[in-house]
């Protein structure tokens, strides 16, 4: 008996016939948590509705972009107007300038920015730019941080500081990652030793300032301070991958938080995505003019894109940024996120379950562990079985968290106090022994 084609299971069965794994991005397949992915039919405000008509309170928000919630009137109006004016021109538009000016007005470390279509493309381009601007080949990234799927960044740690990375994916030749050094996040001794060994050959250090691809792990202030100091001393560029944290954890992104804690702190290059596209394919990378002007057509570093700065995507991103820069927006978002997280942790305490969590702005994460992990091995040592059971209990209760223990979750301006109370009540029931 074949599965009812109108159900999630039926759609998943059908999808797997024509799309590898039935999905266009692996994490959507629920393989980390098990079970059948939900095929979403529509979304509005804080809610998504699946193919079976079931409604979920959505804490994925398209993995970060939907900071306003789904279908914000100002965003829909801007996108519909842009659609009527034309979908794509392959020529410059005024709105790309407006979006560039808007982003630069919010991030003081930026003097110029280039728009692209995905976070992967932005991180890959920033990496090439760092190598081109410094004339160096070696790069440093950290275990647990994800910067998209460009070959040179799909790397796992080598067997020590002197040895460089190994591919995490088939199809990536060892030669491509031979210059990528993968270190432990928040490990000051390792980064000091790496620069002592390779300092003059390192083009850049790339990291997620708050690692949402380890669910929620903050780069410590001493770690970021050390990175800034070593990069400056050795002529390497410090690249903040803010695809997830950008305009999400604070209006000025994560770098504005570190600038308050580390006097004068700035990264050299920044990578953005998600929120700046408001749900449409748009990302960006930027930095000081002297570095950015190394890019074609001015300089020798080639980078391009047919749909870069797409007029509909820029309308969506611009409308989103104009809404989130309203006074009090991030304060209200952060307060809601904290209320939710405190409620989840309280429910765990009542149930006698070890749970740790952290949040910044509209981004949060929780682990079934006694303490917050500070690096990837510690994240992967948290209780996966308990996480997966909790994920599914909440999904059955109509609450959609990130389907993997190493992924962050997201609050939106559309989530109401009632949504948060219902989520906490569902957690109490899910965690009850
Ligand atoms: P995209 O190519 O997926 O737009 O961005 C890649 C990327 C780069 N940098 C960071 C810090 C990111 O978090 C991402 C993408 N994030 C994942 C969620 N962990 C996107 C979800 C997915 O892969 O489907």
């Amino acid at each position: 008996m074949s599965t009812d084609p109108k159900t999630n299971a039926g759609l998943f069965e059908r999808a797997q016939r024509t799309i590898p794994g039935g999905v266009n991005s692996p994490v959507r397949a629920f393989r980390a948590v098990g079970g059948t992915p939900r095929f979403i039919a529509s979304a509005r405000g804080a809610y998504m509705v699946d193919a079976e008509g079931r409604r979920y309170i959505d804490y994925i928000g398209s993995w970060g972009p939907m900071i306003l919630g789904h279908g914000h009137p100002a965003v829909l109006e801007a996108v519909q107007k842009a659609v009527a004016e034309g979908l794509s021109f392959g020529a410059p538009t005024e709105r790309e300038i407006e979006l560039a000016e808007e982003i630069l007005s919010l991030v003081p470390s930026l003097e110029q920015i280039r728009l692209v279509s995905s976070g992967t493309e932005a991180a890959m381009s920033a990496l090439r730019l760092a190598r081109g601007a410094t004339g160096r080949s070696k790069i440093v990234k950290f275990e647990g941080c994800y910067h998209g799927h460009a070959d040179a960044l799909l790397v796992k740690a080598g067997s020590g500081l002197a040895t460089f990375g190994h591919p995490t994916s088939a199809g990536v030749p060892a030669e491509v990652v031979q210059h990528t050094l993968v270190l432990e996040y928040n490990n000051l001794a390792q980064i000091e030793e790496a620069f002592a060994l390779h300092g003059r050959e390192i083009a850049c250090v790339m990291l997620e300032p708050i690692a949402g691809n380890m669910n929620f792990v903050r780069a410590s202030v001493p770690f970021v301070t050390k990175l800034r100091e070593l990069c400056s001393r050795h002529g390497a560029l410090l690249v903040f991958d803010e695809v997830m944290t950008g305009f999400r954890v604070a209006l000025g992104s994560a770098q504005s938080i570190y600038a308050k804690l580390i006097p004068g702190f700035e990264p050299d290059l920044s990578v953005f995505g998600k929120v700046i596209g408001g749900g449409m394919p748009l990302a960006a990378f930027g930095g000081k003019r002297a570095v950015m002007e190394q890019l074609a057509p001015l300089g020798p570093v080639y980078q391009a894109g047919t749909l870069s700065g797409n007029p509909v995507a820029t309308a969506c991103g611009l409308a989103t940024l104009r809404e989130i820069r309203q006074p009090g927006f991030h304060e209200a978002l952060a307060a809601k996120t904290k209320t939710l997280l405190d409620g989840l942790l309280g429910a765990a305490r009542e149930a006698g379950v070890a749970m740790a969590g952290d949040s910044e702005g509209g981004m949060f994460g929780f682990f079934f562990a006694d303490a917050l992990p500070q690096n990837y091995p510690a994240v992967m040592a948290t209780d996966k079985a308990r996480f997966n059971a909790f994920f599914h209990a909440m999904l059955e209760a109509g609450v959609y968290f990130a389907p993997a223990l190493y992924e962050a979750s997201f609050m939106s301006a559309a989530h109401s106090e009632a949504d948060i109370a219902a989520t906490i009540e569902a957690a109490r029931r899910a965690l009850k022994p």
Side-chain angles (χ1 to χ4, degrees):
M1 188 270 287
S2 79
T3 317
D4 175 350
K6 290 277 175 276
T7 62
N8 291 306
L11 286 167
F12 194 36
E13 201 174 284
R14 180 178 150 210
Q16 292 177 78
R17 291 200 283 273
T18 53
I19 303 169
V23 292
N24 285 306
S25 198
V27 72
R28 304 177 190 171
F30 274 24
R31 295 178 79 94
V33 290
T36 302
R38 298 314 192 252
F39 281 68
I40 303 305
S42 66
R44 177 68 68 179
Y47 314 116
M48 291 198 292
V49 179
D50 74 11
E52 297 174 13
R54 299 199 58 208
R55 192 192 80 166
Y56 304 91
I57 302 173
D58 174 23
Y59 291 105
I60 291 273
S62 177
W63 298 96
M66 310 319 292
I67 192 167
L68 292 172
H70 298 281
H72 187 286
V75 173
L76 289 189
E77 185 187 344
V79 168
Q80 285 156 356
K81 182 171 177 295
V83 163
E85 292 164 351
L87 298 181
S88 182
F89 313 122
T93 62
E94 182 180 4
R95 197 153 49 235
E96 291 163 81
I97 310 168
E98 290 175 303
L99 181 54
E101 289 168 348
E102 187 80 15
I103 295 169
L104 264 54
S105 74
L106 296 172
V107 186
S109 71
L110 302 178
E111 290 178 348
Q112 287 208 319
I113 196 154
R114 167 83 37 107
L115 304 179
V116 296
S117 299
S118 73
T120 291
E121 194 182 353
M124 173 186 74
S125 305
L127 177 56
R128 184 181 312 127
L129 175 59
R131 284 171 155 165
T134 60
R136 301 175 180 181
S137 300
K138 290 186 172 22
I139 59 172
V140 175
K141 76 174 288 291
F142 298 93
E143 193 177 29
C145 288
Y146 175 67
H147 307 294
H149 59 90
D151 281 358
L153 291 165
L154 286 181
V155 196
K156 58 176 178 275
S159 56
L161 296 184
T163 62
F164 283 77
H166 306 292
T168 54
S169 165
V172 177
E175 304 78 64
V176 169
V177 299
Q178 64 184 329
H179 299 300
T180 305
L181 190 58
V182 181
L183 304 182
E184 185 172 88
Y185 197 75
N186 278 326
N187 187 320
L188 277 80
Q190 277 197 6
I191 193 71
E192 282 190 300
E193 196 175 339
F195 269 93
L197 282 171
H198 309 291
R200 307 310 298 176
E201 304 163 86
I202 296 174
C204 71
V205 174
M206 185 181 287
L207 79 156
E208 294 180 58
I210 299 177
N213 289 285
M214 286 193 265
N215 193 327
F216 196 106
V217 181
R218 293 176 190 271
S220 73
V221 172
F223 182 60
V224 174
T225 305
K226 181 60 70 181
L227 288 176
R228 179 63 278 169
E229 176 204 307
L230 288 169
C231 284
S232 299
R233 191 187 318 156
H234 291 271
L237 298 181
L238 180 58
V239 185
F240 258 29
D241 179 346
E242 298 229 43
V243 166
M244 200 183 282
T245 54
F247 312 99
R248 160 68 63 181
V249 298
L251 181 57
S253 306
Q255 56 193 271
S256 67
I257 297 168
Y258 285 95
K260 290 193 182 93
L261 300 167
I262 306 167
F265 174 79
E266 283 188 338
D268 298 302
L269 287 174
S270 300
V271 181
F272 298 102
K274 298 179 191 279
V275 168
I276 64 166
M280 298 288 285
L282 192 151
F285 63 104
K288 298 302 184 206
R289 175 186 293 273
V291 176
M292 295 300 287
E293 290 189 340
Q294 299 297 310
L295 285 169
L298 296 178
V301 180
Y302 194 69
Q303 185 276 330
T306 302
L307 298 177
S308 294
N310 172 272
V312 179
T314 52
C316 193
L318 204 51
T320 300
L321 289 183
R322 283 172 174 163
E323 287 300 319
I324 69 171
R325 70 177 305 164
Q326 299 297 322
F329 179 89
H330 278 84
E331 292 74 8
L333 188 71
K336 275 200 291 194
T337 310
K338 192 142 179 18
T339 301
L340 172 65
L341 186 61
D342 289 348
L344 297 177
L345 297 176
R349 261 192 316 278
E350 283 167 27
V353 172
M355 189 181 197
D358 194 0
S359 71
E360 189 68 47
M363 182 172 156
F364 66 99
F366 52 83
F367 304 87
F368 287 100
D370 293 317
L372 279 174
Q374 296 304 309
N375 56 41
Y376 184 68
V379 167
M380 298 316 280
T382 61
D383 190 337
K384 178 176 178 180
R386 169 79 75 173
F387 180 95
N388 291 356
F390 180 69
F391 170 82
H392 280 290
M394 295 299 277
L395 194 66
E396 283 312 306
V399 176
Y400 198 127
F401 281 130
L405 72 79
Y406 46 80
E407 294 284 2
S409 290
F410 305 94
M411 182 62 72
S412 89
H415 286 76
S416 66
E417 286 180 19
D419 295 324
I420 291 166
T423 305
I424 295 166
E425 185 47 38
R428 276 202 194 93
R429 289 196 300 274
L431 291 165
K432 204 175 282 176

